[in-house]
Amino acid sequence: MVITGTTGLAGIIGDPVSHSLSPRMHNAAYAAMGIDMVYVPMRVDGADLEAAVAGIRALGFVGVNVTIPHKLAVAPLLDGLHDSAVAAGAVNTIVRDGEALIGHNTDGEGFIAALEESFTPDYPSSPALIVGAGGAARSVGVALAEKGIPSLLIVNRSRGRAEEFQELLRERYPHLEVEIHVSSSLDPDSLRERRIIVNATPLGMSPDLKPLRLPVDRLSKDQVVCDLVYAGSGRTPLESQAIEKGAATMGGLGMLLHQGAAAIQLWTKRKPPLEVMRQAIESRRGDIPQAP
Ligand code: NAP
């Protein structure tokens, strides 16, 4: 990579960012696309977020990804929000539009692209279940609703966020049947007739967050279990439970790839090289902390 006086700036803000796979994935894409741009990780403390956004503005960044814990707090510091960020209630991508910084969310688009890459195109006719009601859950729920799924069950440990998510979906998609179940675990009945099952919580992400347990006796080979958490090697513990029962699975790396590709498309207006990006992620899988 040769950095010159005209090299464009992109990057990711969050805390921590040291294990992020995004710098490797983005820089590989820019090199393959022949784009004079560099992507840097920037650890930003919550107390410095406003100053960081002012810096992004002043330094002329083309675009910036936003990760935990700033996805919500960054929204009011921007000049506007795209509908994807309004629906998710969170920003994962900032796009410069002239002098303005606009917040987007590419997680939902990334999830659907990953799902469609791996599974049959008839999934929109199937009822779904999402565990979690945070930004990622909302992005995925809205994206599935846009695709026309008939019903969604939201399982979340706290009632407030589950109800907000339910309300959002009911307002936007009056024909979607939305139920909530307040719990940190999945009961066997919740899986009935739910073909798409998504873990959108951090459970299983780190040694202190035990994986979500699936009531595996109710799983069948017709179901697709999607874990937004990603594994350092092979599959996540949740995927392993599902595979034992013959269900299909999807880990979080596909979504990571496609949400990144969607960000590049927003910043450069060009189609990113997916295979190059996929290889860049695969080569750094060992950097991901292992789940218990
Ligand atoms: P978030 O906004 O903080 O939401 C987290 C959700 O998980 C909330 O519904 C929360 O419940 C629930 N939760 C947290 N800890 C829990 C626990 N110990 N037991 C039960 N439920 C718990 O986070 P997010 O941005 O949506 O991210 C969620 C996960 O998705 C993270 O692991 C993130 O890394 C992953 N993700 C992956 C990708 C990808 O590209 N693969 C993209 C985005 C996010 P309450 O509402 O009760 O707090």
Side-chain angles (χ1 to χ4, degrees), residues 241-259:
Q241 293 174 58
I243 284 168
E244 262 179 44
K245 285 287 160 185
T249 68
M250 181 176 107
L253 285 177
M255 176 170 165
L256 177 79
L257 166 73
H258 287 287
Q259 62 76 34

Side-chain angles (χ1 to χ4, degrees), residues 220-235:
S220 74
K221 62 176 177 36
D222 296 330
Q223 285 163 308
V224 181
V225 176
C226 309
D227 199 352
L228 303 197
V229 164
Y230 27 84
S233 59
R235 43 184 83 108

